[in-house]
Amino acid sequence: MKNIDSITHLRGESIYLDDIPLLQGTLFAAAFPSPMAHGVIKQLDLSEAERMPGVVRIFTHKDIPGINQIGGIVPDEPLLAEGHVDFCGMPVALVVAESRDAARAAVKKIKIDIDPRPVVTDPREAQANDQLIVPPRTFRLGDTSAAWQQCTHIFQGRADTNGQEHLYIETQGAYAIPQENNALKIYSSTQGPTAVQRAVSKVTGLPMHQLDIDTIRLGGGFGGKEDQANTWAALCALAAYLLKRPVKYSLHRMEDMAMTGKRHPYSSDFKIGLDNDLKIIAYEATFYQNAGAAADLSPAVLERTLFHCTNSYFIPHVRATAYSCRTHLPPNTAFRGFGGPQGMFVIEAAIAKAAEALGIDASVIQQKNLTKTGDEFPYGQKAESEAHACWENAEQLYALASIRDEQSAYNKANKLLKKGLAVMPVCFGISFTKTLMNQARALVHVYTDGSVAVSTGAVEMGQGVNTKMLQVAAQVFSIPPHRVKIQSTSTYRIANTSPSAASATADLNGKAVSMACTEIVQRLKAVAAEEWQVQPGAVELKEECVYINGTKTDWDWNRLVMTAYVKRVSLSEHAHYATPEINFDASKEKGHPFAYHVYGTAIVETTVDCLRGTYTTDAVKVVHDFGSSMNPAIDRGQIEGGIVQGIGWMTMEEVIYDKEGRLRSNALSTYKVPDIYSVPNEIAIQFLRPTVNDNLAIFRSKAVGEPPLMYGIGVYFALRNAIKAFNPGAEIPFDAPMTPEKLLMALYTKGNPAKHEQTVNHLATHP
Ligand code: LUZ
Ligand code: MOS
């Protein structure tokens, strides 16, 4: 089935925050961002700004009727700066004016005097100063200190990954509309309506039941709106509540880039030990997470780094420690993969380092150490592994050996162009790592005309979750899809939602939809059974018709629904789903946190232009564990998008803050994201045969949102191998992204570069 939004998207009729018709009297907000990363506010002069035309009010922390606090996990994040500033872009004041332009013009007239304090942007430096968001955490399996003696080969190193701008096409924003008796309706471009509701409740002092957060859809989230939509909604709500007028704030792209957090940069140390047989015996890693100036979701992101620190491999002795380091950058936040990719990059770097030193292909080590069913992850859960199945399927299906042969023949024949290959296995745990978040609810109404409305806590952000929810309802009722409508996500209809995140949204909300619909079906069957004087078990609903003992009757869905109504049988249901079996004990760092794991393997081929340092991704060929995909078109889209986003993170997207903590890559002219020319020439996706361990997935269709991003890591290592093909002695730090600049430098590090003169001659004769 096609994504139900495809037609309105194509026609430009889909409604995003900025498309909502404005009410008369709507005001426009704009935040005044701190121009400095760290310092004490000595004076804030609003007088000139207040005199600007169209300005209605300028708010500061002093105007907040509730508490000036929006921190979710740790209460360390003021909505508006109070006394000091902690990052460049931190909202200090909020201008509310009659127009967008007036608000922005007034922001420019605000004057601030800040007494500067030292700015720290490096997580290692923050850790050395004891600036930690939460205490460090360590996951352990076996005993690494004893295990080193068993190792024939031991390698150590450092690996760094940079941040990543979410670049959702729709920027952050909110529109708050006062209702009677102090209630507020807030349209918010958020992945977490309940998170917005909590933040607004804290700031305004209003109880949550006064706050209807309503979300139609997002133009992308990618994690950036899991927590950080709260700020803009809380600012609009504050102003709307105090001024009793509707207030809207939709961020300009450059405001959004400068003021919001990104994927966490990590700097990490690793030590890996292998035996004679290339089995990885021991692995130690220390992760320094650049959290930025406030906790935001960093502690949860940190946790997922530890969960995924061994990726798809079984290693008997592991010790991994992670520090969440407070720096003076905008608070970094959730981003597709949520710390998992950062952890996986380090183990892949460790394996690459071992392989390069031993003069073998990394895939030899990778394959030998893939997790098998029954193997224990460092956090105690036992694997039900598809790692070998995915790897071996990919190896055969895509003829890995012949790709290798073709590449080496190509590399022999070409001086200036070199190909590189990498295999990237992925294993990603599905569930929020915080067990309590793994719950969801659905509200289903069947109307007397037979049409069906479904509300859930799921937020549509382009990932197609509404289509999947619709499929669930249509299938359980056995009615055609057009009879079902998915309503917007509203905290008045569905309470206490978890954010749409962790790849788990379709599973959690879909299970709740299925339960609610199943309950209504039971009631409808009882109605039919009474009418036909049979047991309810004899009744079946199939394709909008009632069947009794396998025989089609003249009762259709509409007649059944109407009869139930006439008999005063409830046609509505609210169902609650909580993932069974999962648990985690943070005091021991052991448990069974994930409903299941998603596995996959990608074979990645790249070509490097060794004169220019430019490159192409020739192919990403994947065998992916979808379970039994309930919507292959949507799931393929998720894989393709995830791969390209992962490639962007690994190769070209470079978030740059200067030493003063100012974002230098603050627009699309200075921040390069993948375009049509940088997508792989070929993306092949093979569905692994359905497996048995996926019954906690909705309709056995496994979570698909985040896992494919990690295939992009393979491109980094394929590029490394291409560089090595050109200059076997090249010294290349494990420092992603591998931008063309860095790649060019690596090609010509000491070692054995091809002679440049010769190269130029070659070019001259072969244009
Ligand atoms: N959000 C969260 C997430 O709060 N917990 C998680 O485990 C998670 N995982 C992935 C993405 N978002
Ligand atoms: Mo996400 S990183 O699943 O919001």
Side-chain angles (χ1 to χ4, degrees):
M1 178 180 177
K2 265 195 192 141
N3 187 319
I4 54 173
D5 282 343
S6 45
I7 289 174
T8 52
H9 279 1
L10 198 66
R11 290 181 178 152
E13 292 169 359
S14 298
I15 295 188
Y16 299 86
L17 184 92
D18 225 13
D19 302 309
I20 296 170
L22 295 180
L23 290 172
Q24 209 169 18
T26 293
L27 299 173
F28 298 83
F32 169 68
S34 170
M36 286 181 127
H38 193 202
V40 174
I41 301 174
K42 299 186 65 176
Q43 213 206 342
L44 183 66
D45 179 2
L46 306 175
S47 54
E48 195 186 342
E50 278 166 342
R51 288 194 302 272
M52 291 287 287
V55 171
V56 175
R57 269 287 290 277
I58 302 179
F59 296 103
T60 67
H61 71 92
K62 292 181 191 140
D63 299 298
I64 292 174
I67 57 169
N68 181 22
Q69 185 49 250
I70 57 165
I73 300 179
V74 180
D76 67 348
E77 190 177 358
L79 176 66
L80 290 168
E82 191 171 338
H84 54 95
V85 292
D86 307 313
F87 63 92
C88 259
M90 182 178 191
V92 179
L94 186 75
V95 176
V96 181
E98 299 288 349
S99 75
R100 231 184 211 237
D101 290 347
R104 293 203 170 121
V107 161
K108 297 205 175 97
K109 302 293 181 189
I110 293 178
K111 295 193 190 74
I112 191 165
D113 185 10
I114 297 173
D115 189 9
R117 293 285 186 270
V119 174
V120 175
T121 58
D122 174 28
R124 290 181 189 254
E125 190 184 337
Q127 192 266 347
N129 298 340
D130 236 2
Q131 286 298 308
L132 299 182
I133 300 276
V134 286
R137 297 191 47 188
T138 299
F139 281 22
R140 283 189 184 83
L141 183 67
D143 178 4
T144 47
S145 53
W148 299 118
Q149 290 149 26
Q150 292 168 246
C151 302
T152 330
H153 315 287
I154 297 176
F155 303 96
Q156 299 188 57
R158 167 177 166 154
D160 291 78
T161 50
N162 201 347
Q164 186 174 22
E165 165 62 42
H166 299 86
L167 216 89
Y168 21 67
I169 291 178
E170 179 195 31
T171 54
Q172 302 268 7
Y175 183 26
I177 303 163
Q179 312 286 304
E180 64 177 20
N181 294 321
N182 283 330
L184 287 170
K185 173 160 184 133
I186 301 166
Y187 294 103
S188 166
S189 181
T190 179
Q191 293 173 240
T194 295
V196 165
Q197 189 188 22
R198 285 198 192 104
V200 172
S201 172
K202 281 196 224 168
V203 167
T204 57
L206 292 168
M208 287 168 76
H209 71 196
Q210 291 284 71
L211 304 171
D212 182 16
I213 317 304
D214 196 341
T215 300
I216 302 166
R217 66 164 64 70
L218 320 184
F222 307 115
K225 298 168 182 171
E226 182 173 338
D227 210 51
Q228 299 208 348
N230 299 3
T231 306
W232 324 105
L235 289 172
C236 288
L238 172 73
Y241 176 61
L242 295 175
L243 296 171
K244 302 280 171 257
R245 284 176 72 176
V247 176
K248 180 176 166 182
Y249 190 5
S250 169
L251 273 67
H252 185 275
R253 175 67 63 190
M254 286 176 80
E255 280 180 302
D256 190 307
M257 290 180 81
M259 295 165 84
T260 66
K262 325 214 172 293
R263 182 188 292 286
H264 293 79
Y266 274 61
S267 184
S268 311
D269 297 318
F270 62 79
K271 182 174 175 186
I272 190 169
L274 303 93
D275 70 8
N276 248 332
D277 195 29
L278 300 178
K279 281 272 186 198
I280 306 173
I281 302 298
Y283 178 62
E284 288 181 354
T286 308
F287 300 100
Y288 300 90
Q289 176 199 56
N290 193 335
D296 191 272
L297 293 165
S298 301
V301 171
L302 191 81
E303 186 171 68
R304 203 176 263 283
T305 301
L306 292 171
F307 281 118
H308 296 309
C309 71
T310 55
N311 189 12
S312 286
Y313 310 108
F314 171 66
I315 305 175
H317 304 279
V318 177
R319 200 202 68 205
T321 297
Y323 297 95
S324 183
C325 310
R326 194 186 296 274
T327 59
H328 300 105
L329 299 182
N332 286 315
T333 193
F335 197 133
R336 202 174 194 174
F338 206 74
Q342 291 95 322
M344 291 183 196
F345 181 80
V346 180
I347 182 74
E348 294 302 330
I351 290 172
K353 175 136 190 174
E356 288 166 15
L358 297 170
I360 55 170
D361 199 277
S363 63
V364 178
I365 301 176
Q366 290 173 307
Q367 190 176 10
K368 257 193 205 269
N369 291 281
L370 291 174
T371 311
K372 296 191 180 69
T373 293
D375 285 345
E376 190 178 335
F377 291 103
Y379 46 92
Q381 186 162 344
K382 296 272 177 13
E384 293 185 67
S385 181
E386 300 297 342
H388 275 282
C390 290
W391 182 291
E392 274 122 43
N393 266 290
E395 189 174 17
Q396 283 166 32
L397 180 70
Y398 301 120
L400 181 59
S402 37
I403 301 175
R404 250 188 240 299
D405 291 346
E406 284 161 28
Q407 282 207 348
S408 47
Y410 181 95
N411 286 348
K412 281 205 187 80
N414 288 276
K415 281 206 181 67
L416 273 179
L417 296 171
K418 296 292 180 186
K419 286 189 185 288
L421 177 83
V423 188
M424 182 65 200
V426 167
C427 165
F428 198 78
I430 302 304
S431 285
F432 287 95
T433 57
K434 283 278 168 284
T435 301
L436 79 88
M437 293 174 78
N438 296 285
Q439 52 171 313
R441 281 151 295 278
L443 177 64
V444 177
H445 297 312
V446 181
Y447 293 94
T448 52
D449 66 352
S451 68
V452 173
V454 174
S455 294
T456 72
V459 171
E460 175 62 50
M461 49 187 145
Q463 86 281 43
V465 72
N466 280 358
T467 305
K468 289 186 175 180
M469 296 305 97
L470 187 145
Q471 286 181 275
V472 172
Q475 183 163 332
V476 176
F477 286 138
S478 200
I479 56 178
H482 74 263
R483 307 220 60 180
V484 182
K485 172 162 183 263
I486 306 299
Q487 306 290 25
S488 65
T489 314
S490 147
T491 53
Y492 274 7
R493 280 189 291 277
I494 302 292
N496 310 326
T497 61
S498 290
S500 287
S503 307
T505 311
D507 280 0
L508 295 172
N509 292 279
K511 291 273 189 181
V513 172
S514 167
M515 288 166 74
C517 296
T518 302
E519 182 59 34
I520 295 171
V521 164
Q522 297 311 328
R523 285 184 214 138
L524 292 172
K525 282 183 175 172
V527 166
E530 196 180 311
E531 185 67 26
W532 298 88
Q533 306 269 307
V534 294
Q535 293 300 312
V539 182
E540 249 184 302
L541 304 184
K542 253 184 1 199
E543 290 161 5
E544 280 188 292
C545 287
V546 177
Y547 285 68
I548 304 289
N549 289 319
T551 311
K552 190 171 176 175
T553 69
D554 61 353
W555 275 40
D556 63 7
W557 167 257
N558 282 15
R559 181 156 178 196
L560 179 60
V561 166
M562 194 42 131
T563 308
Y565 173 71
V566 168
K567 287 177 179 269
R568 299 188 295 169
V569 170
S570 167
L571 290 169
S572 296
E573 183 67 12
H574 178 260
H576 169 83
Y577 175 74
T579 313
E581 295 170 32
I582 53 172
N583 63 76
F584 193 70
D585 180 349
S587 70
K588 299 192 177 71
E589 304 288 25
K590 296 284 178 192
H592 186 106
F594 297 121
Y596 57 89
H597 290 84
V598 168
Y599 292 86
T601 296
I603 295 171
V604 177
E605 302 164 50
T606 59
T607 305
V608 166
D609 177 328
C610 301
L611 189 62
R612 296 173 183 82
T614 54
Y615 44 77
T616 52
T617 305
D618 303 323
V620 179
K621 295 169 176 167
V622 175
V623 172
H624 186 86
D625 166 28
F626 293 87
S628 319
S629 172
M630 68 187 286
N631 195 316
I634 284 175
D635 288 353
R636 268 179 196 279
Q638 285 292 300
I639 302 273
E640 290 176 2
I643 287 172
V644 173
Q645 199 165 35
I647 293 175
W649 175 52
M650 278 286 113
T651 67
M652 67 186 77
E653 297 185 40
E654 215 173 14
V655 176
I656 296 177
Y657 290 96
D658 63 21
K659 289 272 177 243
E660 282 75 50
R662 274 187 307 242
L663 183 68
R664 290 310 190 173
S665 50
N666 66 347
L668 291 177
S669 52
T670 43
Y671 186 77
K672 179 82 184 89
V673 289
D675 57 20
I676 194 65
Y677 300 103
S678 37
V679 304
N681 296 335
E682 180 189 358
I683 294 182
I685 300 166
Q686 174 69 28
F687 291 60
L688 186 72
R689 43 128 190 81
T691 52
V692 286
N693 64 337
D694 48 12
N695 59 331
L696 293 180
I698 181 67
F699 290 171
R700 298 184 173 273
S701 179
K702 285 187 159 188
V704 72
E706 293 169 292
L709 181 125
M710 274 74 73
Y711 295 137
I713 296 173
V715 176
Y716 175 91
F717 289 96
L719 290 173
R720 259 185 102 82
N721 289 335
I723 298 167
K724 294 272 181 184
F726 178 75
N727 175 1
E731 283 173 13
I732 319 165
F734 293 100
D735 181 16
M738 181 73 87
T739 57
E741 292 85 350
K742 283 194 212 161
L743 191 145
L744 191 63
M745 306 272 273
L747 284 167
Y748 297 98
T749 50
K750 67 181 172 198
N752 188 24
K755 291 227 173 51
H756 198 63
E757 227 174 317
Q758 215 178 324
T759 306
V760 173
N761 289 341
H762 177 86
L763 245 203
T765 48
H766 302 88

